[in-house]
Amino acid sequence: DAGVTQSPTHLIKTRGQHVTLRCSPISGHKSVSWYQQVLGQGPQFIFQYYEKEERGRGNFPDRFSARQFPNYSSELNVNALLLGDSALYLCASSLQGEGNTIYFGEGSWLTVV
Amino acid sequence: AQSVTQLDSQVPVFEEAPVELRCNYSSSVSVYLFWYVQYPNQGLQLLLKYLSGSTLVKGINGFEAEFNKSQTSFHLRKPSVHISDTAEYFCAVAYSWGKLQFGAGTQVVVTP
């Protein structure tokens, strides 16, 4: 079975541009969450979506937005990119319910120049 | 504020020696606890998790962790490491479903 898949794997953007990152969850998983991992740090929670509704939001500016589609895939959008947005963006999926394992994708490496 | 503290940023260890990675968390409510491993240029892989029950949790690749509620700790151990265990290890706490709070990570470097 396929795991969590993310695209693109690597990308380079210029300050001020917009970026869209995509994620496909494990089949049967309806919850998708996004994390930002800056080099040398632990991942930071950005968003959680379940059944196409936002269920949680971390401490990130409004430049960050996301959505979930009817097939449970998800997009993370970041507007007006800053150098500090350079990071590994991880998507994760899980089944509903507390304690269920959260599975991570390989991530999308974003470099802002 | 809730927090997860990994007490060691880097742990050097010789091959076949034991290793312990320390993790403390702050919480006044019940939480779920996890250890993830990240190999270079890869995503996160779950090693083990504590939800309830026995405080000693067995995971993959010979790792185990012990939950100590009174000390709010969840330390990870392996009795004998291999070169392939060289990686970054993250302790994480789930205060609510689907939302993990991670520590800063501990880099384990195994040398022959």
Side-chain angles (χ1 to χ4, degrees):
Chain A
D1 287 342
V4 179
T5 57
Q6 294 186 241
S7 64
T9 55
H10 294 81
L11 70 166
I12 300 174
K13 291 285 188 177
T14 304
R15 277 179 298 175
Q17 284 188 317
H18 163 91
V19 69
T20 297
L21 308 177
R22 296 177 176 83
C23 171
S24 293
I26 292 171
S27 178
H29 288 191
K30 299 180 179 180
S31 172
V32 171
S33 49
W34 287 94
Y35 291 78
Q36 180 197 64
Q37 186 179 15
V38 173
L39 197 63
Q41 298 182 19
Q44 298 290 317
F45 171 78
I46 310 176
F47 286 110
Q48 183 198 13
Y49 275 78
Y50 177 72
E51 289 284 15
K52 296 169 284 182
E53 291 187 4
E54 183 181 303
R55 295 300 181 99
R57 184 184 183 110
N59 188 25
F60 281 81
D62 292 342
R63 299 185 296 106
F64 288 76
S65 64
R67 54 179 175 168
Q68 187 176 33
F69 299 98
N71 65 354
Y72 305 110
S73 66
S74 177
E75 282 182 355
L76 175 70
N77 294 282
V78 187
N79 292 323
L81 286 166
L82 303 174
L83 295 179
D85 295 330
S86 295
L88 176 66
Y89 289 85
L90 295 164
C91 176
S93 75
S94 70
L95 295 169
Q96 180 188 10
E98 293 186 353
N100 276 306
T101 297
I102 297 175
Y103 295 89
F104 285 82
E106 297 284 310
S108 293
W109 285 97
L110 170 65
T111 302
V112 182
V113 297
Chain B
Q2 297 157 337
S3 65
V4 181
T5 303
Q6 291 185 242
L7 296 160
D8 306 293
S9 59
Q10 188 171 62
V11 173
V13 58
F14 288 109
E15 193 175 17
E16 298 184 6
V19 69
E20 179 180 77
L21 308 183
R22 297 177 292 168
C23 174
N24 287 89
Y25 66 94
S26 66
S27 177
S28 58
V29 299
S30 297
V31 297
Y32 302 116
L33 298 156
F34 306 81
W35 276 97
Y36 282 86
V37 60
Q38 187 174 37
Y39 298 102
N41 301 315
Q42 294 189 23
L44 298 168
Q45 180 183 7
L46 180 70
L47 284 175
L48 48 79
K49 63 181 179 182
Y50 172 80
L51 304 181
S52 64
S54 173
T55 57
L56 184 62
V57 181
K58 302 283 188 181
I60 63 171
N61 300 340
F63 284 95
E64 64 180 30
E66 186 153 17
F67 169 63
N68 188 318
K69 186 175 182 179
S70 62
Q71 296 185 3
T72 58
S73 68
F74 191 53
H75 300 334
L76 180 72
R77 303 184 185 96
K78 186 171 182 177
S80 176
V81 297
H82 303 288
I83 296 291
S84 59
D85 292 322
T86 294
E88 185 96 26
Y89 292 80
F90 292 97
C91 179
V93 176
Y95 293 101
S96 60
W97 170 55
K99 177 181 176 180
L100 293 175
Q101 184 164 352
F102 286 87
T106 298
Q107 178 68 44
V108 172
V109 180
V110 182
T111 54

